[in-house]
Amino acid sequence: MTVTSQSDDQTSGAAPDLAQLLRPVVRESSVSEVAKRLLDHLSAGDIKPGTRLPAERQLAEALGVARSSVRGALSALDVLGIIEIRPGSGSYVREGTSEFLPRAINWGLMLGQRRTQDLVEVRTYLEAVSARLAAERATDEDLERLEGHLQHMRAAGGDAKAFIDADIDFHLELARIARNSVLSDILHSIRALLQVWMERVSDIEGTVSGTLCEHDAVLVALRTRDPEGADRAMAEHMVMASRRLRESVDAEAP
């Protein structure tokens, strides 16, 4: 069923095919379910920054829900800064992918979005591979830089931002030490996930001490050039970090 009009197709920045991508919401309509569906397409890249979304009526028909559910979902995404509602013009995906992606990931975690959960899951394996390769390829200078990031984490004290920045730098440094350009590029591309992940769990009791201990175990394995130990230490860190993330999401989920 075609739900876009000729005038829609001719409007600059319109998304004439989006309504056709959407499938009806299976269970009883709700604002969160509609927001989940829209966010899935946003994070998948089906809708680019600057794109004008179809009208409420078109979205409601495509999703098989009431317009009130669509209106509530759009309002929620507007509050989060993911879209911009322009009276008399329509709803647009905000420009600035670097700002949008952390919001999309955070919202996806809150809603239990499958794609975001998959991203969290695959990070575990990528980080373990990165640690294993780094243990095989690290130079003394590499280990000094990695130790520097860990020292910055210890010195952060109550400065959550400084701790998070140093934590992210530790993981990205580890990816560089692995000397695999594809792996490094992938981990850099999900930096927004690392940022959101740490921001969400930073207030959980035991996060700082646990994270420091887990990072230290990874560094010890690298110093002894133990690929198996580095893989195991990073996997254990990812298990604990994922547990803290889930605790945070469960505490705040709508």
Side-chain angles (χ1 to χ4, degrees):
M1 177 179 66
T2 303
V3 296
T4 53
S5 65
Q6 184 176 6
S7 59
D8 288 333
D9 293 341
Q10 294 173 346
T11 302
S12 175
D17 296 326
L18 174 59
Q20 297 178 30
L21 288 172
L22 297 171
R23 302 181 307 280
V25 172
V26 176
R27 63 187 184 184
E28 185 178 354
S29 65
S30 68
V31 170
S32 63
E33 283 298 305
V34 174
K36 249 171 103 172
R37 189 66 55 79
L38 291 174
L39 188 63
D40 187 51
H41 288 285
L42 286 165
S43 60
D46 295 332
I47 316 171
K48 304 299 182 184
T51 296
R52 178 174 62 80
L53 300 179
E56 285 181 9
R57 175 184 57 79
Q58 294 173 319
L59 289 173
E61 289 177 1
L63 290 166
V65 299
R67 288 182 65 176
S68 59
S69 294
V70 171
R71 189 176 305 116
L74 293 176
S75 295
L77 295 178
D78 182 36
V79 169
L80 288 168
I82 294 174
I83 69 170
E84 178 186 4
I85 298 177
R86 303 175 189 171
S89 178
S91 300
Y92 295 79
V93 179
R94 288 185 181 273
E95 298 283 355
T97 304
S98 61
E99 296 179 359
F100 160 72
L101 190 55
R103 294 193 195 102
I105 289 173
N106 204 11
W107 189 237
L109 286 170
M110 289 290 288
L111 294 174
Q113 184 194 15
R114 181 70 259 171
R115 187 179 302 275
T116 304
Q117 292 173 340
D118 289 346
L119 183 58
V120 169
E121 182 179 66
V122 78
R123 183 205 165 193
T124 298
Y125 298 102
L126 291 174
E127 294 282 7
V129 171
S130 179
R132 173 181 287 271
L133 292 176
E136 296 173 351
R137 300 170 180 176
T139 66
D140 291 341
E141 291 76 13
D142 291 332
L143 296 179
E144 287 179 11
R145 290 197 304 275
L146 205 58
E147 173 65 36
H149 298 311
L150 191 53
Q151 291 293 352
H152 289 153
M153 291 172 65
R154 293 193 182 100
D159 188 341
K161 184 180 184 305
F163 184 85
I164 291 169
D165 287 346
D167 189 335
I168 292 173
D169 288 342
F170 181 97
H171 285 275
L172 296 183
E173 185 70 57
L174 196 65
R176 284 191 289 270
I177 295 172
R179 291 178 171 79
N180 181 297
S181 60
V182 174
L183 180 61
S184 181
D185 287 347
I186 293 173
L187 288 172
H188 273 76
S189 72
I190 62 173
R191 183 186 182 111
L193 172 64
L194 308 186
Q195 175 187 334
V196 171
W197 193 321
M198 284 305 301
E199 286 176 350
R200 291 198 63 87
V201 304
S202 60
D203 291 336
I204 294 179
E205 185 177 356
T207 291
V208 172
S209 59
T211 301
L212 285 171
C213 182
E214 292 152 20
H215 280 65
D216 191 56
V218 173
L219 185 55
V220 167
L222 262 66
R223 286 200 186 103
T224 57
R225 304 301 196 272
D226 179 6
E228 292 288 342
D231 187 320
R232 184 168 55 252
M234 181 57 78
E236 290 174 357
H237 170 47
M238 287 292 97
V239 167
M240 296 306 298
S242 296
R243 186 175 300 169
R244 290 188 286 264
L245 179 64
R246 178 50 50 196
E247 181 181 338
S248 169
V249 171
D250 289 345
E252 299 182 24

